[in-house]
Amino acid sequence: MPPNFKLQCHFILIFLMALRGESRYLELQETAEYDPFLLFSANLKRDLAGEQPYHRALRCLDMLSLPGQFTFTADRPQLHCAAFFIAEPEEFIHIHYDLVSIDCEGGDFLKVFDGWILKGEKFPSSQDHPLPTNERYIDFCESGLSRRSIRSSQNVAMIFFRVHEPGNGFTLTIKTDPNLFPCNVISQTPNGRFTLVVPHQHRNCSFSIIYPVVIKISDLTLGRLHGVQSKKPPEGCGGIGDFVELLGGTGLDPSKMMPLADLCYPFHGAAQVKIGCDNTVVRMVSSGKQVNRVTFEYRQLEPFELENQNGNSIPEFCLSNL
């Protein structure tokens, strides 16, 4: 990854090392003095279980994984601000504007993006999201309070905002709704287990893990014969309507990642792969003709494992960039 891009991605690619329920944030104007690795207590979500809604100030560059009410008030012109929201894999994010006091005619703006976007890289990618990119932006200055509440299509969303006048700002409430069939997910943690199910839907679903990881796939249901094969372009699963692929890369957008392996046929057992990429994605492509399911476990690679290339691992494509 180029050094300048890696610096700009640093906030996003590192904060997820926190335990579920933590929040970290970094204000652009304070990068020299502010430590981006300062976290809330790991027990914060548990401690707040009986004290909702949670309240706190929103910073110019922020990361939130807790439902609650958040207020941004400019103390000086804030021109390049964003807040990233992340929920549990099985949840949608619900954003509600409680109060907005910005000067749209004076150049202020407040926009919601359905997903995450950074340096032109989107999650979910344009190929995997049900809406075209332009419809994933909801601009308050265009819609006003006619769209006071907005729900994401997956467990991540974000806002962009610019406020010139000190004292102006906004208050919003973040809630979550259950998602019975989560499709596109960014994992909050470096270790976990997940089952991705696509029930008779013609769509693509990506599960993103922003760490170098070992992935163990224990069950894949596609309704065909048993088998796993490594990808050898241009061959692979291209001629099959339903398959799972493993992707690796350094950014957010799965469509810009390197295809590393295809799983074209159902199996029960264990297929384990070590992937030394900044971002690893398990992506299911479904034709909609059947119910597809894949179950996998993942854990972050230890430093010594990144150096040791023995065993079933993806070669140096990603490891050379770490």
Side-chain angles (χ1 to χ4, degrees), residues 35-321:
D35 181 358
F37 300 101
L38 290 178
L39 307 178
F40 282 124
S41 166
N43 298 319
L44 182 57
K45 180 174 283 188
R46 182 173 64 250
D47 293 343
L48 290 172
E51 301 179 7
Q52 297 293 347
Y54 171 59
H55 298 266
R56 82 158 170 84
L58 194 67
R59 298 175 67 91
C60 180
L61 182 59
D62 215 333
M63 171 64 213
L64 298 168
S65 61
L66 290 167
Q69 188 177 65
F70 305 93
T71 298
F72 177 80
T73 304
D75 58 355
R76 59 185 182 276
Q78 300 280 16
L79 306 183
H80 305 285
C81 299
F84 297 82
F85 307 113
I86 184 167
E88 299 294 332
E90 301 86 0
E91 293 176 334
F92 296 113
I93 295 172
H94 185 95
I95 302 172
H96 179 80
Y97 294 130
D98 300 311
L99 176 67
V100 180
S101 177
I102 62 174
D103 182 6
C104 294
E105 294 184 358
D108 292 357
F109 62 76
L110 174 58
K111 300 179 182 181
V112 173
F113 182 73
D114 189 6
W116 280 359
I117 185 168
L118 187 67
K119 292 292 291 183
E121 297 221 358
K122 300 180 290 293
F123 185 91
S125 70
S126 298
Q127 297 176 5
D128 294 350
H129 199 279
L131 297 175
T133 299
N134 65 311
E135 294 184 21
R136 295 168 67 179
Y137 289 94
I138 299 96
D139 189 341
F140 174 84
C141 288
E142 294 180 358
S143 61
L145 293 177
S146 64
R147 293 201 64 178
R148 192 165 193 155
S149 295
I150 301 161
R151 195 183 77 169
S152 68
S153 303
Q154 61 287 310
N155 80 319
V156 292
M158 67 181 297
I159 60 172
F160 301 93
F161 54 99
R162 173 182 295 167
V163 182
H164 288 84
E165 187 69 24
N168 282 354
F170 55 89
T171 296
L172 50 82
T173 296
I174 303 296
K175 297 181 179 179
T176 58
D177 298 324
N179 182 358
L180 297 181
F181 295 103
C183 179
N184 294 300
V185 174
I186 291 181
S187 176
Q188 289 193 34
T189 59
N191 308 299
R193 177 184 174 90
F194 192 76
T195 297
L196 183 61
V197 181
V198 183
H200 293 291
Q201 293 177 327
H202 181 43
R203 64 189 308 190
N204 306 325
C205 297
S206 295
F207 189 97
S208 175
I209 312 157
I210 309 185
Y211 311 91
V213 293
V214 172
I215 291 184
K216 180 186 293 184
I217 298 176
S218 58
D219 183 79
L220 176 61
T221 302
L222 295 173
R224 282 185 289 273
L225 299 175
H226 297 276
V228 182
Q229 65 181 44
S230 295
K231 185 160 189 175
K232 298 179 180 179
E235 299 177 359
C237 301
I240 299 175
D242 300 78
F243 61 94
V244 168
E245 59 181 349
L246 301 181
L247 308 173
T250 55
L252 290 176
D253 196 326
S255 68
K256 298 180 180 181
M257 294 182 184
M258 174 72 73
L260 303 176
D262 285 342
L263 292 82
C264 309
Y265 305 102
F267 69 92
H268 303 278
Q272 179 171 300
V273 181
K274 181 169 66 174
I275 302 177
C277 299
D278 286 340
N279 193 3
T280 300
V281 168
V282 178
R283 183 171 182 263
M284 177 175 283
V285 177
S286 297
S287 64
K289 298 178 181 179
Q290 56 196 16
V291 177
N292 294 325
R293 178 194 306 265
V294 60
T295 298
F296 54 94
E297 299 177 22
Y298 54 97
R299 67 168 179 83
Q300 186 176 11
L301 287 171
E302 300 293 340
F304 74 88
E305 293 179 289
L306 292 171
E307 299 173 0
N308 182 6
Q309 288 303 291
N310 294 328
N312 187 16
S313 63
I314 300 299
E316 50 280 348
F317 164 70
C318 290
L319 294 167
S320 63
N321 292 315

